[in-house]
């Protein structure tokens, strides 16, 4: 099979969907690996490394024309014309990207999304590594924007002897949230975790030895904690569905001026009211006196680390798909859950519901 890897074109994106190790594994199975020249430059992956591993360096058009196209982020507006009736494997977040969904349907693409590949235990094996990265980055981004020169309150996240650290509230105790919590605790912040799941809160309490304040999620609890926080991190996820808005503009208006909110869920529409997708070049917007950081591809800030973390998880699935998309999907329920669009229809139930489309079985 021809496996294509185009250069990512989303603003500030630095990752590549395949490493030399992945190219070697595919080539060893007899597949033709077509990588757009320069695709890995910002992730520390050179053309020479990929060529030595068995890849052929090609144009963007040739990469997109492959039987299986693998990417990191959803197709951008200038890439929609390159879609065709092949297979595409990437992060799609279609519930928040109806224009992309429409283009995939029109092109007849078999589109599989990393973020809806779901194991039998409910875990999301391909989203998990990027959630880990985003959770840790959220705390670093928040700490940066709390600094006075960057528009913040002038609060040091860690504090110093005699002065407490910043108050940090994390909404959601899943993968991204738990990594944000661990990072914030490690830096010496005063941390509160809010989640609907009491078992998740118990695990946090045990893991951090009581150093994290835990609260069951209610609108009242969220409002009270947000108002007192220096940094709020929204890490709420409903796979395949738009993120619920859990922080309102009215809550933000009661925060101290210069406070910071980080919306990790912005790829799925965002969980903070007033948040709009931003870029690494222009990452924050002012909402009621606070700064809202809502970069839609946060892990791209650490492209070398993020590329390796992502491809460690995706490569086994890529190898199966390259050996035959239909057989791979039929033989792996987790991978079948990744199918969002097929035969000109939106087939993932949650995505179809979010976009108001008729549901058809994958």
């Amino acid at each position: 099979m021809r496996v294509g890897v185009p250069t990512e074109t989303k603003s500030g994106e630095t990752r590549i969907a395949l490493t030399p190790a992945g190219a070697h594994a595919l080539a060893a199975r007899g597949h033709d690996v077509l990588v757009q020249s320069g695709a890995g430059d910002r992730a520390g992956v050179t053309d020479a490394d990929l060529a030595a591993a068995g890849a052929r360096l090609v144009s963007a058009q040739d990469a997109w024309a492959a039987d299986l196209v693998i990417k990191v982020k959803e197709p951008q507006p200038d890439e929609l014309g390159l879609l065709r009736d092949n297979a595409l494997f990437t992060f799609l977040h279609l519930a928040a990207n109806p224009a992309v969904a429409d283009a995939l349907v029109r092109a007849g693409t078999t589109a599989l999304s990393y973020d809806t590949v779901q194991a039998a235990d409910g875990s999301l094996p391909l989203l998990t590594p990027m959630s880990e990265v985003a959770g840790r980055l959220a705390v670093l981004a928040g700490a940066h924007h709390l600094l006075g020169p960057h528009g913040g309150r002038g609060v040091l996240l860690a504090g110093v002897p005699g002065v407490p650290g910043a108050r940090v509230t994390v909404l959601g105790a899943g993968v991204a949230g738990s990594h944000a919590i661990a990072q914030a605790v490690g830096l010496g912040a005063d941390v509160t975790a809010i989640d609907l799941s009491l078992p998740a809160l118990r695990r946090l309490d045990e893991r951090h030895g009581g150093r994290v304040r835990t609260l069951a999620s209610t609108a009242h609890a969220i409002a009270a904690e947000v108002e007192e926080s220096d940094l709020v991190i929204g890490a709420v996820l409903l796979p395949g569905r738009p993120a619920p808005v859990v922080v309102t503009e009215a809550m933000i208006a009661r925060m101290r001026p210069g406070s910071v909110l980080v919306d990790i869920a912005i790829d799925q529409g965002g969980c903070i009211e007033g948040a709009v997708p931003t870029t690494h070049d222009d990452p924050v917007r002012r909402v009621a006196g606070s700064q809202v950081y809502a970069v839609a591809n946060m892990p791209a800030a650490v492209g070398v680390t993020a590329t390796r973390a992502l491809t460690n998880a995706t490569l086994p699935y890529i190898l199966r798909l390259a050996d035959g998309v239909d057989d791979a999907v039929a033989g792996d329920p987790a991978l079948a859950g990744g199918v969002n669009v097929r035969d000109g229809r939106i087939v993932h139930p949650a995505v179809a519901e979010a976009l108001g489309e008729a549901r058809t079985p994958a």
Side-chain angles (χ1 to χ4, degrees):
M1 183 178 286
R2 292 174 303 146
V3 180
V5 185
T7 300
E8 298 297 322
T9 62
K10 190 177 182 76
S11 176
E13 186 53 65
T14 61
R15 292 167 287 179
I16 182 175
L18 193 72
T19 59
H24 181 269
L26 285 164
R29 292 185 181 218
H31 301 299
D32 191 9
V33 184
L34 310 175
V35 181
Q36 183 177 348
S37 181
D41 287 351
R42 292 170 293 175
V45 178
T46 68
D47 283 353
D49 291 335
L50 289 162
R56 287 198 291 133
L57 302 174
V58 299
S59 67
Q61 288 75 14
D62 288 340
W64 277 100
D67 305 303
L68 169 65
V69 177
I70 55 174
K71 289 183 82 273
V72 177
K73 293 301 292 180
E74 71 280 358
Q76 299 303 292
D78 60 352
E79 295 174 315
L80 297 183
L82 296 169
L83 296 174
R84 58 189 65 207
D85 58 348
N86 53 9
L88 172 66
F89 194 32
T90 187
F91 281 118
L92 289 170
H93 301 292
L94 291 185
N97 288 297
V100 176
D102 289 345
L104 291 166
V105 167
R106 288 194 301 269
T109 307
T110 298
L112 301 95
S113 189
Y114 297 153
D115 54 295
T116 62
V117 173
Q118 191 163 15
D121 63 0
S123 63
L124 302 167
L126 306 188
L127 182 61
T128 291
M130 295 301 91
S131 295
E132 293 168 343
V133 171
R136 297 181 183 207
L137 278 175
V139 176
L140 300 180
H144 175 80
H145 288 286
L146 277 172
L147 302 178
H150 301 292
R153 293 192 61 229
V155 174
L156 181 64
L157 196 76
V160 293
V163 181
R167 285 196 63 166
V168 178
T169 296
V170 180
L171 306 170
V175 176
S178 63
H179 278 261
I181 289 162
Q183 185 86 329
V185 169
L187 291 174
D190 177 7
V191 183
T192 298
I194 301 180
D195 197 276
L196 287 168
S197 169
L198 294 180
L201 295 178
R202 291 189 183 103
R203 288 193 294 271
L204 283 175
D205 185 67
E206 293 169 2
R207 184 179 308 153
H208 296 288
R211 289 184 293 167
V212 175
R213 187 184 305 108
T214 58
L215 293 173
S217 182
T218 66
H220 183 270
I222 292 170
E225 289 302 315
V226 166
E227 182 176 352
E228 296 299 322
S229 295
D230 300 299
L231 170 61
V232 173
I233 296 172
V236 180
L237 173 68
L238 298 175
R241 292 179 168 84
V245 173
V246 295
V247 177
T248 66
E249 289 192 30
M251 295 178 192
I252 300 172
R254 293 192 292 271
M255 297 178 74
R256 290 178 287 268
S259 299
V260 178
L261 302 95
V262 178
D263 196 341
I264 298 177
I266 195 64
D267 271 326
Q268 289 293 102
C271 64
I272 296 171
E273 188 176 17
V276 295
T278 59
T279 66
H280 289 287
D281 290 335
D282 187 15
V284 297
R285 295 288 184 274
R286 284 277 176 183
V287 177
S290 293
Q291 297 187 96
V292 178
Y293 177 102
V295 175
N297 55 340
M298 288 176 63
V302 288
V304 173
T305 298
T307 288
R308 293 179 63 183
L310 177 62
T311 56
N312 284 344
T314 58
L315 181 58
Y317 293 91
I318 291 168
L319 293 173
R320 284 177 229 159
L321 289 168
D323 287 342
V325 172
D326 290 342
D327 288 344
V329 168
D332 186 344
L335 195 52
V339 181
N340 282 207
V341 181
R342 195 174 194 179
D343 299 326
R345 299 291 301 275
I346 296 172
V347 297
H348 190 283
V351 174
E353 180 182 354
L355 295 176
E357 299 288 337
R359 172 182 168 180
T360 55

